[in-house]
Amino acid sequence: MARIFCPPHQQVFKGNIGETRTYLDRLKMKLANKDGYLNILLPNDRGQSMLYTACRFGHFEIAKMIVCCILDAVREKVLTPAQGTHRLMTDTMKHFINLVVNHKNEDGSTPLHGACFGGHHEIVIFLREIGADVTALNNEQET
């Protein structure tokens, strides 16, 4: 069965930085909505997030762009003069990064699994530095 990629996944899969950046810029606006942050996961037909796709196929710049998009959106939403505190921002950023970095696809694989499978050492290091769960098991009980 052929894989079906939604348009953003096609651009990530191809490593198209310009189109991915345009999509993420538009998505950043939606992330301010109540449940809009879930759009960043935007799974394809196999439950793979855009970050998983970028990591699996070695598109390091795109992986960083996706993470930065989340951080920018959280910063813009959380830091208001009335309620903005460093602790609130830090906790919220950690929550969203954890949600995206440790998202599992239908095989139970995370972006870290994808990067390891593809042999993309630079991406593995990046994911570990931002909080990827190195003990996460996929459906085959592999870390």
Side-chain angles (χ1 to χ4, degrees):
M1 178 178 188
R3 288 191 187 169
I4 301 168
F5 287 99
C6 61
H9 276 277
Q10 290 172 349
Q11 301 310 319
V12 172
F13 177 74
K14 293 176 183 177
N16 188 329
I17 292 173
E19 289 295 321
T20 302
R21 184 182 318 277
T22 299
Y23 173 77
L24 290 173
D25 287 344
R26 277 190 250 130
L27 181 61
K28 221 186 301 185
M29 302 289 218
K30 293 180 184 178
L31 288 171
N33 297 337
K34 184 178 175 186
D35 297 320
Y37 70 89
L38 293 176
N39 289 330
I40 198 75
L41 296 176
L42 196 65
N44 62 14
D45 64 317
R46 297 193 56 189
Q48 297 166 336
S49 67
M50 290 182 356
L51 182 60
Y52 178 90
T53 302
C55 294
R56 171 66 181 85
F57 295 101
H59 303 304
F60 187 37
E61 290 304 313
I62 292 176
K64 289 189 295 186
M65 282 172 30
I66 292 168
V67 171
C68 287
C69 177
I70 298 162
L71 294 177
D72 288 347
V74 170
R75 215 176 282 122
E76 290 167 12
K77 183 177 179 184
V78 173
L79 278 182
T80 61
Q83 69 185 49
T85 65
H86 180 70
R87 180 173 171 75
L88 175 64
M89 184 175 83
T90 302
D91 291 347
T92 304
M93 285 183 176
K94 285 180 185 176
H95 168 76
F96 284 103
I97 292 298
N98 182 56
L99 180 73
V100 174
V101 169
N102 294 310
H103 178 263
K104 292 186 173 191
N105 65 18
E106 68 182 28
D107 299 325
S109 294
T110 64
L112 182 60
H113 288 112
C116 289
F117 184 78
H120 307 296
H121 304 292
E122 189 175 39
I123 297 174
V124 170
I125 292 166
F126 170 70
L127 293 172
R128 289 184 64 194
E129 287 175 351
I130 63 171
D133 182 359
V134 297
T135 64
L137 299 175
N138 64 16
N139 296 349
E140 299 295 320
Q141 300 305 302
E142 300 167 326
T143 55

